[in-house]
Amino acid sequence: MVTSPKLAEFESSQLRTGQPVFRVGDTVRVHYKIVEGDKERVQVFQGVVIKRHRAGARSTFTVRKISFNIGVERIFLMHSPRIEKLEVVSRGVVRRARLFYLRDLQGKAARVRDQKDA
Amino acid sequence: MNTQPGIYGRKLGMSQFFTDDGTVHRVSVVEAGPVTVVAKRTIEKDGYTALVLGLGERKAKHTSKPLAGYFKKQGQTPKRVLKELRCQPEFASKYEVGQVMKLDEIFQLGQRVDARGTTRGRGFTGVIRRWSFAGAVTTHGTHEYKRHGGSIGTNMTPGRTLPNLKMPGHYGDETVSILNIRVARIDVEKHLLMLEGGLPGARNGLVLIRQSVKKTKPRTHVAPTKKKLK
């Protein structure tokens, strides 16, 4: 899709800088601000990045984790001001851009090889 | 007749932006301007009130001589789009010929507006796409009858096909209005108007944005009641 230069200029004003570089397969900790009524707290979501949608200001990434034996996936907006902090826990070695195969795997098989071990 | 204040613009596409609390707004971006008032229609002279608006510049080589003469008479450079906007005399009196319309004078943030545009033309379209028909079963011996509309009526009574039956035909390229969409952001300098949700038509399509004709009911917030667990 051809984005109009005027639209691209507006979107570039929405970009957020200073986020760490991470790739699909990396394990990340997302400190996410949650507003409940008038209270605000920070929730940490740690898991493997299984998808990155690169679309400028509209970019997102999907994090998957196993919580009490149930797979949980969350899509975060890359440039959201609600992301308080983003940490890369470990770098993974993967061969594809979308790790949807992890959904079908369980336990030991559903791991991503760490770059340190490779 | 709709005489609400409004402006013409071009749909640039869709985008999103964050507010300070982190809420995302999905918006259609309209480049509404610079729109110049080329002429005015008055009740005394023309029998009705309207503003003649010009959007975008037109190159001299693309301007026919009669049109160039008209713009010269008005003391304006040739404009790409020339449209009349029927309005109330109070609104028209705010503008002089040659004045560039400012978005924040017409719209306010959070206000409800109506958008009118022309949908993308889809050409001659079958009933599945045009009317969301289900089509026919593809198994049980069906032969060369998959995306058809089925029966179009009975035999003897009434012995004809009833009018307005949904059939294949030309689809799209119609004027469509979307009512009561919210103004999410206004950029006066760049003439950008951001409206929540989608707009009819393709990118670079002409859209007319007007203050909403229908009054929206003030939303009374009902607090969710907690059901007691027994």
Side-chain angles (χ1 to χ4, degrees):
Chain A
M1 194 187 113
V2 189
T3 312
S4 133
K6 280 156 192 160
L7 208 56
E9 188 197 330
F10 167 73
E11 288 206 336
S12 66
S13 73
Q14 295 294 309
L15 295 178
R16 200 179 142 177
T17 50
Q19 297 282 45
V21 178
F22 64 96
R23 301 178 60 171
V24 168
D26 295 352
T27 305
V28 290
R29 277 170 81 87
V30 186
H31 298 253
Y32 196 73
K33 248 187 271 180
I34 289 177
V35 182
E36 285 172 332
D38 48 359
K39 273 183 279 180
E40 202 181 75
R41 63 191 178 85
V42 174
Q43 196 181 60
V44 181
F45 194 92
Q46 178 171 346
V48 184
V49 179
I50 62 164
K51 176 185 177 178
R52 282 200 67 177
H53 173 228
R54 294 172 192 265
R58 287 166 285 116
S59 303
T60 62
F61 61 97
T62 309
V63 183
R64 180 181 171 87
K65 76 166 179 182
I66 307 290
S67 172
F68 301 104
N69 283 328
I70 290 169
V72 180
E73 283 176 19
R74 254 194 104 155
I75 302 167
F76 293 100
L77 292 153
M78 193 73 211
H79 299 281
S80 170
R82 283 203 185 155
I83 296 178
E84 192 116 302
K85 206 166 102 187
L86 185 64
E87 294 172 86
V88 181
V89 179
S90 65
R91 308 262 176 203
V93 178
V94 285
R95 288 183 167 193
R96 52 215 75 219
R98 304 272 192 261
L99 306 185
F100 296 153
Y101 67 87
L102 290 179
R103 290 170 182 168
D104 306 326
L105 301 177
Q106 274 186 4
K108 277 188 164 185
R111 286 175 304 176
V112 171
R113 197 150 56 110
D114 201 309
Q115 221 170 54
K116 277 182 278 181
D117 310 329
Chain B
M1 175 169 283
N2 191 344
T3 51
Q4 297 287 84
I7 199 166
Y8 278 93
R10 286 194 182 279
K11 173 176 162 180
L12 285 185
M14 290 196 75
S15 186
Q16 68 174 35
F17 68 87
F18 296 99
T19 46
D20 292 334
D21 61 336
T23 335
V24 194
H25 291 264
R26 284 91 175 178
V27 289
S28 296
V29 185
V30 178
E31 190 185 23
V35 171
T36 326
V37 180
V38 178
K40 282 167 96 170
R41 305 268 183 262
T42 53
I43 296 179
E44 300 84 59
K45 210 177 152 198
D46 312 282
Y48 63 96
T49 315
L51 291 175
V52 183
L53 304 177
L55 170 71
E57 293 300 313
R58 190 197 284 259
K59 282 184 182 171
K61 68 172 178 181
H62 293 146
T63 317
S64 66
K65 275 180 184 166
L67 200 60
Y70 172 73
F71 281 109
K72 205 179 166 190
K73 193 180 150 198
Q74 300 298 327
Q76 306 287 320
T77 53
K79 299 285 184 285
R80 191 84 175 265
V81 181
L82 199 61
K83 290 268 184 193
E84 262 187 41
L85 184 84
R86 292 287 281 259
C87 57
Q88 296 289 340
E90 299 89 66
F91 180 71
S93 64
K94 284 200 278 184
Y95 293 97
E96 297 299 319
V97 171
Q99 197 176 337
V100 176
M101 292 173 99
K102 274 189 177 163
L103 282 174
D104 59 342
E105 286 168 0
I106 309 165
F107 306 113
Q108 286 168 349
L109 215 62
Q111 190 185 25
R112 302 277 167 173
V113 293
D114 300 340
R116 194 176 80 191
T118 310
T119 58
R120 293 163 116 171
R122 290 160 176 90
F124 194 95
T125 312
V127 285
I128 292 185
R129 168 151 281 214
R130 192 179 181 207
W131 300 109
S132 304
F133 279 15
V137 286
T138 50
T139 51
H140 299 292
T142 309
H143 188 50
E144 287 168 0
Y145 195 84
K146 284 178 183 170
R147 295 178 65 90
H148 294 228
S151 165
I152 57 165
T154 45
N155 183 13
M156 273 295 278
T157 324
R160 61 188 167 89
T161 300
L162 295 167
N164 304 324
L165 200 78
K166 290 173 180 174
M167 284 199 220
H170 188 269
Y171 180 40
D173 198 20
E174 327 164 73
T175 305
V176 167
S177 294
I178 301 202
L179 304 182
N180 291 330
I181 41 179
R182 221 172 61 87
V183 176
R185 199 178 248 206
I186 299 171
D187 190 329
V188 182
E189 276 169 32
K190 288 177 187 149
H191 300 281
L192 294 183
L193 190 64
M194 296 189 192
L195 306 172
E196 242 152 68
L199 292 181
R203 266 173 282 127
N204 288 324
L206 194 69
V207 278
L208 169 66
I209 319 287
R210 290 191 130 166
Q211 287 182 15
S212 58
V213 269
K214 288 185 180 168
K215 286 236 162 58
T216 40
K217 277 182 194 164
R219 249 191 229 171
T220 45
H221 181 71
V222 182
T225 48
K226 265 188 191 169
K227 272 186 186 169
K228 271 183 191 170
L229 290 169
K230 276 175 188 171

